[in-house]
Amino acid sequence: MTSIRERLIGIDTEYHTDGLGRIDRVFCLCATNAQGVVYKAWYDEVHPNALEDLKTFFCVTDPIFVCHAFEKAERRALKWLGVDVLQYSFICTWHLARMLQQTFRKPMKEVVESDSDKISLETKKKLSEEKALSYASLCRKYNLALIDTEHKTAMRTLCIMDTTEGHEQEILSYCAEDTAFLIPLLRHLFKEYYDVLKGSYCPLRPGFFDKITQEDALSRLVRQVEYIALFGDIADYGIPISLERVEKVQKNAFAYNNKLKSDFAEKYPGTYSLGKDGVWHGNMSKINEYLEVDLKRLGITSLYPKTASGKLSLSSDTLKEYFKGMDVFGEHFRKMSEITRQLANVAKIDGNPFKYIVNNCLWYESLFPYGTKTSRCKPSTKRYVFGWAKPLYCIIDPKPGTWLVELDFSSQETFVQCCICRDSVYNDIYQSKDIYLGFATKMKLLPKEDWEALPVGELKEKYHDVRKRVKSLVLGLSYGMGKAKLAQSLGVSECEAEQYVEQFREVVRTSTSYKERLMARLGGCNAFSLPDGFVCRSAQNRWENSATTIGNFPFQSAGGVILRVLVKELYRMIREGLKIQLVATIHDAIFFQCEEGDMHAIQKVSETMRTTANRVLAAPGGWTIRVGEPEIIRHGELWTPEHAYDEEAQAIFALDV
């Protein structure tokens, strides 16, 4: 039987990219096995048997290929060569190193000022971490030698400039040297990973990793990279868009940007003024004044984050956290800022996201599964249309003869919590005609006779304010919201908020007890984990752990697992004849293209979503997750979520300049 050591083969590729960052030429592939045997191959054209050649050369039937940047480099390079990467096993040392870096440490929300820009400490930390995860940095960390960096830069420059002719042997030697330390690096990382995984707690499968073997741990890493490959294939397809609409948005972006700021200045005098350059400029002092009025009215001045210079934070995330859904200046400013920021990018030549359009699809590089501490996807918002201001979703347009379909889970995290906590009361509420009104009834905020007699539409209308308050309560407590923030969200005093919390906890006592036990769980383990081997570690000093992140981990991470297993199952069905094309994923939703009118395919996907989630969650008999009604986008139709932004999208198009 072949040992694990004999199966490992470190590989690296050298390639050229186009102006969009896509690989359009692969020069070579080099490899080194655990015994130090070296393989080199130069390519003048595509070569689908590239990895088969390696298997033959090293006499290994079931190799595990080790690379450092699978998602952004080797996956794409091998795909360009014509290799089906899903037929092989890979481990990515960058992915493994990054996963080991993830902790439950409290996020840093302070803001500091640099010479020209305001950069959050979290952003600085991220940039530092990314540099620390480079192949060279990791080799230095574990005292592994590495080739001269000047030589490395010179060889990479030849590839980047596509001036490799006459330098083939130099580049091959450099590429081969880059594979020499991949297996030693993996050994160092794997030892740390195995120790973390063995001592971890898996909320979805308690005790799952107590007696895990090294071979099984290694197979979990292979499975993670398989998921990365599947999500990479989705990203490679891109999101279908209308070039005509893109042209209109681009043509009118500058003028509409100015119009939005002009209208905002009219509503909130002094916030913006028209400069000599014909551009509306923000008055930050005035904007801070309006924001201070909001904070005083809501009684949360002391809670709101400030910059190092003492000014109120104006970051989109902060504004969303404190004002989303409220009829206040902070929310109006956030929504206006989101779209004007995106329109400003569209109006530029450099940095314009529309330059990533290829074959009537917006190419968005990667969905980046495992991108968060809870293993959710985290695509870059720069290219990913679903990370833009919602009125710009209007550029999405399926190809003629097809539908673009969105399907999502109904209140996924609520059902996840029911299953993980085994809370039958919570499940009864989830399965009822409306979750929030169901909670209101259990909390005695809605008469039981009305709940039983009236249809859901009438209930929502009659008890609109009650439902809104209970929804804020349920979502706030689910995400670990504190008492002061909860009072602000509910629009009540902290004393009243505390009473609501007690009523809520009494209804879902089983879930509340589970969360309380969970907070203490890190005292007996060094990490939380998922069935596919993903881990998130405890901070070195346990008091630095974020209680909110720990409390959310089982439910958020379960959603990530469901999505990954679902995508893998759908790809299996596609290979067996299901006629759909996966286009994107968003949190708990998937987008796919199917033939126009193919309701059968939509129904199959919906059923698969339901059965997959129930299986992953080991849902008790009779419990089942709900899948929402399909949102169908037809070719030529102007689509935005629930059509709420059609008016704003039409306004951008109609502004003829």
Side-chain angles (χ1 to χ4, degrees), residues 400-441:
T402 68
W403 282 350
L404 186 60
V405 183
E406 178 194 15
L407 275 173
D408 65 356
F409 292 102
S410 298
S411 303
Q412 182 197 55
E413 283 158 28
T414 299
F415 185 70
V416 168
Q417 187 165 323
C418 296
C419 291
I420 291 179
C421 301
R422 288 300 190 260
D423 193 330
S424 57
V425 174
Y426 211 159
N427 181 62
D428 288 343
I429 294 172
Y430 176 79
Q431 303 295 348
S432 69
K433 49 190 171 185
D434 185 85
I435 293 172
Y436 306 116
L437 291 173
F439 259 113
T441 305

Side-chain angles (χ1 to χ4, degrees), residues 297-419:
R297 189 186 311 140
L298 295 168
I300 55 170
T301 302
S302 60
L303 296 173
Y304 197 83
K306 294 183 179 180
T307 68
S309 60
K311 295 178 182 178
L312 299 173
S313 171
L314 298 178
S315 75
S316 180
D317 286 344
T318 301
L319 293 169
K320 184 182 293 185
E321 182 181 354
Y322 284 84
F323 301 115
K324 186 176 180 180
M326 299 183 186
D327 185 18
V328 295
F329 171 84
E331 174 68 346
H332 300 159
F333 177 72
R334 179 187 73 84
K335 292 177 76 172
M336 185 275 299
S337 296
E338 277 187 1
I339 188 167
T340 54
R341 190 182 306 115
Q342 198 67 51
L343 289 169
N345 288 335
V346 166
K348 295 176 184 175
I349 296 176
D350 295 329
N352 182 353
F354 289 163
K355 74 179 181 181
Y356 298 106
I357 294 170
V358 181
N359 297 328
N360 285 58
C361 283
L362 186 67
W363 182 64
Y364 56 92
E365 191 175 46
S366 176
L367 280 165
F368 199 12
Y370 302 105
T372 68
K373 292 181 180 183
T374 59
S375 87
R376 290 278 198 182
C377 288
K378 193 178 181 182
S380 168
T381 56
K382 183 185 292 185
R383 306 183 188 185
Y384 193 53
V385 65
F386 296 111
W388 302 351
K390 289 183 179 179
L392 294 180
Y393 290 11
C394 63
I395 68 169
I396 297 171
D397 188 29
K399 295 179 179 179
T402 68
W403 282 350
L404 186 60
V405 183
E406 178 194 15
L407 275 173
D408 65 356
F409 292 102
S410 298
S411 303
Q412 182 197 55
E413 283 158 28
T414 299
F415 185 70
V416 168
Q417 187 165 323
C418 296
C419 291

